[in-house]
């Protein structure tokens, strides 16, 4: 594992335990399907407990059951990461938006300024909520939730929009704090 | 569970599955030791998978092995929550700082303005890092990590400072987005 | 008086004249009623003219005739101090809100984020005005006054809301500039 | 008095009591010396107690004994008012800087951007302190006071710099909140 | 030309070529009509190609055909320069507003805070647009253009409002970057 | 020309005059070399005088003689556009950085957060200057110019860094104000 971590971040840490069998398998699937193991997983991999907690939360949020499509969740991820200017997440999740939407320019619009994208009112409201929650969380109030309900989002959807936006406010800061570096492979993906 | 959730947030959601046995037990321990189940757990409790992911990450970060003491981690939590003006986290974790330090005024200083506290240079650097990571994540760079190393923090410590600060940037926003309400019991704790 | 001032701020100044008889008496009443002389008075006490000007303005604003209750004025004081992260004023006036309202959690909500408090529309408008006047005074315009009138505030009430909010923008900065330290006694008050 | 107040602010208030003899006399002196009564005095004049408190604090701060010259105090006033974009105070105190310095361009530089003025290091430090105290009071700390001491300012001087800067953070907001309008006479003064 | 440039900025540069005949003539007209050559022209004058490009754009924008009057364009210029605290542009274009409007106080209001001016709804909308475009360009969207159309502005007018506001965001920064100094003559103009 | 402009911006304007012969030729060269005419040129094309002024300034700045390489000028352009979240300029000039550097990831780093790029101290200083000039122009002072000189930049280089950064603060706002849309062709370029 040591060499795997090399270059993933600016920190120098020794692995504290071996990856679990399930984690090794997961890394193998990444290698096979994507052609690489995402550096965020290598970065957390120095400690299998931390890695597992990260993977469990991430996989539930981004891949689990939700009234939001996978693309919608990735659009939120990238919009949040744009506010925070997070190089890692814009690179990795910008690629995901391009891939899931089949529209390279949509990935760019989310990464650069979601207001430049031709969004329907539902998606506009969803990203406005994520943007405000990122930029000025102290100012959130009932009117922000009402704006989502007005566009047909259920309270469960609001939970999911909030969860994804909040998660990337964590991930963006983790990446900034340790200088996490995205795999080069993302750059050419789905262009 | 439904009634447990009542009042924990502004969202109306039905429980989607029963809590696991381990979760029920954990809630029981909270009730016994604290006298109540923290509302954040009730809020996530509508979905046991989400609850488990939250608990796993939280417990590892705040209670797991670390070069940072539990009090130091709570000081970071409250400093971050002060920037974000998060009523839930300031209330719950402000109480934790008061309790763990035995100094009520320290909890207040972290919640109001950490610069008002009489901090040694090591804690000052730790909280400066957490503050900047919260307020201006895009501006983080090597100099910020160097400032921590200069105060004797290891790279593993930097990971932990970053992780705790990042986690509360998530939790603060989740609380703001759904109007999470702290249990009244926190207010009088360790005054 | 010299020893009285010790510890009230980070500045070292000699008293420039003796307190007036009225001021000595006022300090005595504080000691008797509160159990201590508020450090802000000790801090200004190095110069009786400055102390008197401060007391005259403060007492008129916070205790004088007004369409606003004493509690409402304290709510404004704490909301303003929250924006400015003023340790001194949040401590002293947070205690006042707890005491005057009999609701400890209201003091905490004002200090942490007034949007978390269950406010009626009148109080919401009052604190929105105070918040904006604090955070972005250049943007105030007729619409802000109209919002207060719409909630039934008279022009005299608007003057008072403005005066209290403005005063604490002064006091917060004075406290920050000289590192004014609140008396420990406030922390446990009215919890 | 009623007609005197007309036009001084956007609020409509009846005088609540007659001006004191001393206040009437003071207004007379203003009229004689300046050619007009400053609108801020007319605005406060609806209530002689409030007027007196304002005048006492203002006159002590701006005209009383201090290690700072009257010009230095006006320079601070205008620098603060520039951050807050206060039309009233920039107009009235910009005129004062022009008059006291005999350098019209200095008044303009303070009003527009103090960094454009050719300041010696002592004045630069004084205005940097006032600027930061205005724009980001929560971030003030010992280093800010040390920078003033390094330029030869005493702790008493620091109190005065802080007091003047803080006072105008109050006055700027009061003017913004009630739309206080400067007398036209200021515009042509000392050009 | 070398001596002409002396003092116009903080940079030391040699002229790279002689002014063109047309430029020499233009400078002569400035000298004759204004009594001086504006320092911005002297500053760009080190390179006649750069000077010409600047003059061509400036003269088209500020003097060319437009649905906006020259005064309206100057009002936009000063409002933008106020947000950016640009000493050069506030001085030079503040003078232009005073001169073109015949109302010294209007120049001051634009320079200090356009919200303090008694504007009709059309001018209010025009300056609100220019202000937002300056302070938060990323947030511009269709609603901002709609607000201008609602006040009777054509799309061509919107182009011109946008162009003038954008141009001064360039000029303000150029002036700040090189410490461009306005000619003293502006200060007394049209008072 | 009318159809050429269709879709370039959100404004509806008729061409006011025919393009000059030179402009038609320039558009032809674009079409031939790039495969398309950049939408910014189509947008300005409604008025040949405005188009010419824009082209003259742009071509001198980005292609003319300078101590800065074309790549360095594009790096500044993209860094500025990142602060302003300008979709048009990030798309068009991000492509230019990718192409001129032959390093796709450098284009992405400039667009997302220049602090994530492995820059030498000279380029770091250059982009720090451009970033501050964009985000906080009022705070620029001699120390900022000194930092560039310290890295070996001449005063003429400082002029050019300032000019390019200032120009894109204009272009970013123009694009935001009229919703200028980049040609799709940029997205796939030099990936």
């Amino acid at each position: 594992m040591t060499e795997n971590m090399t270059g993933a971040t600016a920190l120098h840490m020794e692995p504290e335990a071996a990856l679990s069998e399930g984690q090794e398998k997961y890394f193998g699937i990444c290698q096979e399907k994507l052609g690489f193991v995402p550096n965020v997983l290598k970065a957390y991999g120095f400690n299998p407990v931390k890695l597992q907690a990260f993977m469990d939360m991430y996989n539930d949020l981004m891949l689990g059951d939700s009234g939001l499509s996978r693309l919608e969740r990735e659009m939120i991820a990238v919009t949040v990461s744009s506010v925070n200017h997070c190089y890692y997440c814009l690179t990795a999740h910008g690629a995901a938006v391009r891939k899931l939407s089949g529209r390279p320019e949509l990935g760019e619009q989310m990464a650069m300024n979601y207001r430049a994208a031709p969004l329907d009112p539902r998606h506009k409201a969803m990203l406005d909520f994520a943007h405000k929650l990122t930029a000025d969380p102290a100012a959130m109030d009932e009117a922000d939730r009402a704006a989502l309900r007005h566009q047909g989002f259920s309270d469960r959807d609001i939970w999911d929009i909030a969860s994804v936006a909040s998660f990337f406010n964590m991930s963006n800061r983790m990446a900034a704090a340790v200088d996490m570096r995205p795999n080069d492979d993302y750059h050419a993906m789905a262009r």
Side-chain angles (χ1 to χ4, degrees), chain A residues 40-61:
Chain A
V40 65
L41 299 182
K42 290 190 199 169
Y44 274 94
F46 80 92
N47 181 308
V49 174
K50 293 181 189 301
L51 174 61
Q52 195 61 45
F54 179 84
M55 286 169 59
D56 287 351
M57 188 178 280
Y58 178 87
N59 288 340
D60 172 65
L61 274 179

Side-chain angles (χ1 to χ4, degrees), chain A residues 27-72:
Chain A
F27 277 37
I29 293 171
C30 289
Q31 189 68 49
E32 199 178 317
K33 286 207 176 169
L34 294 171
F36 61 91
V37 178
N39 277 346
V40 65
L41 299 182
K42 290 190 199 169
Y44 274 94
F46 80 92
N47 181 308
V49 174
K50 293 181 189 301
L51 174 61
Q52 195 61 45
F54 179 84
M55 286 169 59
D56 287 351
M57 188 178 280
Y58 178 87
N59 288 340
D60 172 65
L61 274 179
M62 300 304 282
L63 307 173
D65 279 348
S66 171
L68 307 176
S69 71
R70 283 186 57 196
L71 174 57
E72 288 170 330

Side-chain angles (χ1 to χ4, degrees), chain A residues 72 75-77 79 110 114 119 122-132 148 161:
Chain A
E72 288 170 330
M75 288 166 69
I76 295 170
T79 296
M110 295 298 103
Y114 76 96
L119 300 168
R122 195 172 162 275
H123 282 161
K124 180 67 164 48
M126 178 182 85
L127 297 181
D128 282 347
F129 188 94
H131 186 279
K132 182 175 174 185
L148 290 181
I161 294 170

Side-chain angles (χ1 to χ4, degrees), chain A residues 68 83 153 155 171 189:
Chain A
L68 307 176
V83 179
F153 288 106
D155 276 23
S171 277
M189 242 181 221

Side-chain angles (χ1 to χ4, degrees), chain A residues 10 12 15 17 37 129 131 134 143 159 165 170:
Chain A
H12 301 282
V37 178
F129 188 94
H131 186 279
T134 300
W159 179 276
M170 175 177 72

Side-chain angles (χ1 to χ4, degrees), chain A residues 21-189:
Chain A
E21 206 173 323
Q23 292 172 338
E24 289 284 10
K25 194 171 155 191
Y26 191 87
F27 277 37
I29 293 171
C30 289
Q31 189 68 49
E32 199 178 317
K33 286 207 176 169
L34 294 171
F36 61 91
V37 178
N39 277 346
V40 65
L41 299 182
K42 290 190 199 169
Y44 274 94
F46 80 92
N47 181 308
V49 174
K50 293 181 189 301
L51 174 61
Q52 195 61 45
F54 179 84
M55 286 169 59
D56 287 351
M57 188 178 280
Y58 178 87
N59 288 340
D60 172 65
L61 274 179
M62 300 304 282
L63 307 173
D65 279 348
S66 171
L68 307 176
S69 71
R70 283 186 57 196
L71 174 57
E72 288 170 330
R73 287 177 263 180
E74 294 288 353
M75 288 166 69
I76 295 170
V78 182
T79 296
V80 166
S81 304
S82 176
V83 179
N84 291 327
H85 289 280
C86 178
Y87 177 54
Y88 187 97
C89 300
L90 287 168
T91 300
H93 295 277
V97 171
R98 295 196 301 271
K99 199 171 171 181
L100 290 169
S101 69
R103 293 166 52 202
E105 76 279 11
L106 186 67
E108 299 298 87
Q109 287 158 344
M110 295 298 103
M112 292 166 178
N113 191 337
Y114 76 96
R115 295 179 197 86
L119 300 168
D120 62 36
R122 195 172 162 275
H123 282 161
K124 180 67 164 48
M126 178 182 85
L127 297 181
D128 282 347
F129 188 94
H131 186 279
K132 182 175 174 185
L133 185 58
T134 300
D136 194 6
M140 299 301 290
D141 65 15
E142 191 58 28
D144 298 299
R145 287 179 289 273
L148 290 181
R149 290 188 190 114
H150 183 68
Q151 291 297 335
F153 288 106
S154 70
D155 276 23
R156 177 57 154 83
D157 294 335
I158 296 176
W159 179 276
D160 288 356
I161 294 170
S163 295
V164 173
S166 297
F167 180 85
F168 281 91
N169 271 287
M170 175 177 72
S171 277
N172 290 173
R173 283 176 174 81
M174 200 62 207
V178 305
D179 191 17
M180 203 173 283
R181 293 140 189 180
N183 309 63
D184 282 344
D185 313 65
Y186 287 118
H187 293 301
M189 242 181 221

